[in-house]
């Protein structure tokens, strides 16, 4: 099908600068080509989108120096700046970001294959997240515009920055999830080094100048290259205070382990999950099926919150499987801008082969593909296979598939899924489908102790972003939400003084002269 004019790739993007120390530094060294798995021609071939710098250890350490200097042992302009002024910088940034919507949405579609509606949603949700963060931080500042007095000690308590943050985001939400780390880290007064994910890199190019002109030099540093070459040396150096990463635990563990001072390193991590759906025998089947379709297939299952295994009560499993499979087969595959394209090309060229391995392993061990189109493969896609019955010895039970394959397990006793969840390495969310409150009540009371969000009669999801997003076990470290992220990237710090005339005169003068940015009871209206 012909690509509409406005979505065609007419020229490639040559990203030949990186942002360090407030400068968009020209790079003349080695570069890497960025391809889309979407074809621009009738006969399939990948589409070249542009090139990015392949930076090395020297440039990585240059970015680290820049962030460390901008923090300047707590004396930097940014960590000591008044909250109201930091907010003004963020407002300047987001105003410019909004003008880049069209370019970024187009690149989201080409780079990661996300459909038009979801790409637009990713952009809009991120802008909204920034405004909500500004609002929340403003309120936090208002709440701390005061003194407390206990036991003869006056205290002025605020949240202060932690230092230098290394920020690494995932390819499935290269804008939203990355910014959900980066924005709170920046606004709280930290200085940052940010490396884009393996896909979804060029979509940051339209924002480099906005980052450069909105924040003081060295506050935001953006580098390109392989994690092993650039992120590892930065961590090994030991001057990073926070590792902020959404991705997989292998990278997080590898990076954490090379930091020389593990007690000093704080971590904000969003990692793997294998969220189950549990469909009880009294569930509204139509509702459960529709939610499971959304949960397993949105963005081809490439979401950390995707439903990755379905437990269905044996009394209804045949009916569930029949209707669920039909609905999976009715989903339309197409390029991201095509009307109604629910399934879209996979950005990882080797993903169809990996999914096929999971299918082969499961079918060798006794599962069947129960939908007609399951496993049909094209150049950049493999149609979701619904596998039943799935058992614990299969790879698809154990591994986070992060792609289009749907394992179904039947159960007779609720203890079976509960025990599996307790044994699992993951603990992010669950979807629970049912109606009888006598059955639901004890289940809810247990499930909240195994995961961090129980979705009653709906699929799993992160949003709305004001709610806590976290996980147990190998699924997360720290909590993110508009408010919690501000806490995760800061620490309580305060000025204390004995309540006597000598100290109080000093405090009064500090407040009246407005000489300190920290000791201030100014109220942001
Ligand atoms: O990849 C994981 C994302 O946090 C999922 O967010 O539930 O809004 O798709 P979402």
């Amino acid at each position: 099908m012909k690509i509409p004019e406005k979505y065609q790739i007419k020229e490639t993007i040559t990203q030949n600068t990186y942002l360090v120390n407030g400068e968009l530094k020209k790079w003349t060294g080695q570069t890497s080509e960025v391809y889309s798995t979407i074809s621009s021609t009738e006969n399939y071939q990948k589409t070249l989108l542009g090139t990015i710098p392949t930076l090395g250890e020297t440039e990585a350490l240059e970015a680290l120096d820049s962030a460390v200097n901008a923090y300047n042992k707590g004396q930097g302009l940014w960590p000591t700046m008044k909250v109201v002024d930091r907010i003004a910088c963020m407002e300047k940034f987001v105003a410019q970001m909004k003008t880049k919507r069209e370019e970024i949405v187009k690149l989201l579609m080409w780079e990661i294959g996300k459909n038009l509606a979801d790409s637009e949603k990713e952009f809009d949700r991120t802008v909204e997240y920034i405004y909500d963060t500004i609002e929340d931080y403003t309120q936090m500042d208002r709440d701390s515009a005061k003194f407390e007095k206990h036991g003869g000690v006056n205290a002025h308590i605020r949240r202060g920055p932690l230092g230098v943050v290394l920020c690494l985001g995932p390819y499935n939400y290269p804008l939203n999830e990355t910014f959900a780390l980066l924005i709170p880290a920046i606004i709280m007064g930290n200085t940052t080094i940010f490396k884009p994910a393996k896909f979804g890199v060029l979509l940051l190019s339209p924002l480099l100048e906005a980052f450069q002109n909105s924040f003081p030099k060295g506050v935001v540093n953006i580098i390109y290259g392989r994690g092993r070459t650039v992120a590892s040396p930065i961590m090994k150096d030991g001057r990073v205070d926070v590792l902020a990463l959404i991705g997989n635990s292998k990278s997080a563990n590898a990076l954490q382990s090379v930091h020389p001072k593990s007690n000093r390193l704080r971590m904000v991590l969003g990692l793997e999950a294998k969220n189950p759906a549990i469909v009880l025998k009294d569930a509204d089947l139509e509702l459960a099926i529709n939610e499971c379709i959304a949960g397993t297939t949105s963005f081809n299952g490439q979401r950390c919150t995707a439903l990755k295994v379905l437990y269905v009560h044996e009394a209804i499993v045949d009916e569930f499987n029949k209707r669920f499979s039909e609905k999976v087969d009715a989903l339309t595959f197409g390029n991201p801008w095509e009307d109604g394209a629910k399934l879209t090309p996979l950005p990882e060229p080797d993903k169809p082969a990996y999914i096929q391995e999971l299918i082969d392993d499961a079918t060798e061990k006794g599962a069947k593909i129960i939908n007609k189109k399951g496993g049909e493969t094209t150049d950049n896609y493999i149609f979701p296979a619904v596998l039943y019955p799935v058992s614990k010895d299969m790879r698809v039970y154990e591994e986070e598939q992060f792609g289009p394959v749907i394992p179904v397990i039947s159960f007779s006793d609720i203890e079976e899924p509960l025990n599996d969840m307790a044994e699992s390495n993951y603990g992010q969310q669950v979807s629970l489908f049912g109606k009888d409150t006598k059955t639901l009540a004890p289940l809810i009371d247990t499930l909240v102790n195994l995961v961090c969000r129980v979705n009653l009669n709906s699929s799993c999801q992160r949003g709305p972003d004001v709610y806590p997003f976290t996980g147990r076990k190998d699924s997360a470290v720290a909590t993110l939400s508009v408010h919690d992220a501000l806490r995760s990237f800061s620490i309580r710090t305060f000025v204390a003084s004995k309540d006597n005339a000598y100290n109080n005169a000093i405090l009064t003068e500090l407040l009246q002269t407005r000489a300190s940015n920290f000791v201030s009871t100014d109220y942001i209206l």
Side-chain angles (χ1 to χ4, degrees), residues 401-423:
Q401 63 267 43
F402 217 76
V405 58
I406 308 163
V408 182
I409 299 175
S410 72
F411 68 93
S412 53
D413 182 346
I414 191 64
E415 289 302 320
E416 297 165 36
L418 291 183
N419 286 339
D420 289 355
M421 285 175 69
E423 276 167 23

Side-chain angles (χ1 to χ4, degrees), residues 125 172-173 177 302-305 402 460-463 469:
R125 175 181 175 182
N172 64 336
Y173 279 91
E177 296 239 291
Q302 303 165 116
R303 294 162 59 226
C304 60
T305 49
F402 217 76
C460 299
Q461 64 178 43
R462 174 179 176 149
F469 177 56

Side-chain angles (χ1 to χ4, degrees), residues 154-168:
N154 285 313
H156 187 48
I157 310 172
R158 289 179 173 278
R159 297 202 73 90
L162 293 163
V164 174
V165 180
L166 174 63
C167 192
L168 307 164

Side-chain angles (χ1 to χ4, degrees), residues 130-161:
I130 299 176
Y131 282 118
D132 288 349
T133 297
I134 290 173
E135 187 47 44
D136 204 288
Y137 191 29
T138 305
Q139 189 53 46
M140 207 181 253
D141 189 70
R142 289 177 187 134
D143 294 343
S144 55
K146 61 173 193 231
F147 279 79
E148 289 180 25
K149 193 196 289 186
H150 295 284
V153 177
N154 285 313
H156 187 48
I157 310 172
R158 289 179 173 278
R159 297 202 73 90

Side-chain angles (χ1 to χ4, degrees), residues 155-449:
H156 187 48
I157 310 172
R158 289 179 173 278
R159 297 202 73 90
L162 293 163
V164 174
V165 180
L166 174 63
C167 192
L168 307 164
Y171 80 79
N172 64 336
Y173 279 91
L175 184 74
N176 182 262
E177 296 239 291
T178 311
F179 278 34
L181 298 173
L182 192 61
I183 298 299
I186 296 171
I187 209 167
M188 289 311 292
N190 301 284
T191 60
T192 60
I193 307 149
F194 155 47
K195 187 191 91 63
K198 61 178 173 176
F199 306 111
V201 185
L202 291 171
L203 59 88
L204 294 156
S205 297
L207 297 176
L208 287 189
E209 275 179 26
F211 274 121
Q212 184 196 22
N213 68 35
S214 303
F215 302 103
K217 68 174 188 178
V219 173
V220 183
N221 300 279
I222 302 181
I223 55 174
Y224 300 89
R226 287 175 56 87
R228 211 168 299 154
T229 328
V230 295
S232 303
I234 289 176
M235 291 300 289
K236 239 184 234 164
D237 175 280
R239 288 180 291 165
V240 164
D241 300 288
V242 186
L243 172 63
L245 179 148
I246 296 189
N248 75 56
S249 55
K250 264 195 212 135
S251 341
N253 289 334
L255 289 170
Q256 182 191 357
S257 70
V258 296
H259 194 287
K261 294 179 181 164
S262 49
N263 62 303
R264 163 173 153 177
L265 179 70
R266 284 175 188 248
M267 283 178 302
V268 180
L269 309 175
L271 305 171
E272 298 92 270
K274 188 93 183 170
N275 292 342
I278 301 176
V279 187
L280 302 173
K281 64 178 165 198
D282 70 336
D284 175 333
L285 213 50
E286 187 63 12
L287 171 72
I289 288 170
N290 288 339
E291 289 290 327
C292 287
I293 289 283
T296 52
T297 64
S298 306
F299 194 36
N300 311 301
Q302 303 165 116
R303 294 162 59 226
C304 60
T305 49
L307 288 174
K308 299 198 177 98
V309 55
L310 308 181
Y311 288 89
V312 185
H313 192 276
E314 62 177 9
I316 51 164
V317 72
D318 291 339
E319 180 67 8
F320 178 94
N321 281 345
K322 181 174 168 290
R323 286 161 60 183
F324 181 75
S325 302
E326 281 167 8
K327 289 211 169 179
V328 171
D329 281 345
L331 295 170
T332 315
F333 172 81
N335 281 332
W337 42 82
E338 287 169 21
D339 268 352
K342 291 276 182 211
L343 309 172
T344 46
L346 299 166
E348 294 170 287
D350 47 0
K351 199 54 163 277
Y354 167 69
I355 296 291
Q356 186 63 53
E357 276 179 29
L358 296 183
I359 295 173
D360 292 345
D361 173 76
T363 49
E364 273 160 31
K365 292 174 181 157
K368 292 209 162 46
I369 302 177
I370 59 168
N371 58 323
K372 289 198 185 91
K373 295 193 195 168
E376 280 178 10
T377 304
T378 55
D379 294 302
N380 54 17
Y381 202 63
I382 179 161
F383 200 90
V386 185
L387 296 172
Y388 179 78
V390 162
S391 52
K392 290 191 195 176
D393 56 339
M394 297 174 187
R395 284 177 61 190
V396 75
Y397 172 82
E398 203 61 48
E399 297 174 26
E400 186 197 32
Q401 63 267 43
F402 217 76
V405 58
I406 308 163
V408 182
I409 299 175
S410 72
F411 68 93
S412 53
D413 182 346
I414 191 64
E415 289 302 320
E416 297 165 36
L418 291 183
N419 286 339
D420 289 355
M421 285 175 69
E423 276 167 23
S424 157
N425 287 329
Y426 310 115
Q428 191 197 62
Q429 300 187 17
V430 65
S431 290
L432 178 61
F433 296 93
K435 185 163 173 254
D436 174 39
T437 50
K438 282 203 202 74
T439 314
L440 290 174
L443 266 179
I444 289 172
D445 293 353
T446 302
L447 288 169
V448 288
N449 296 332

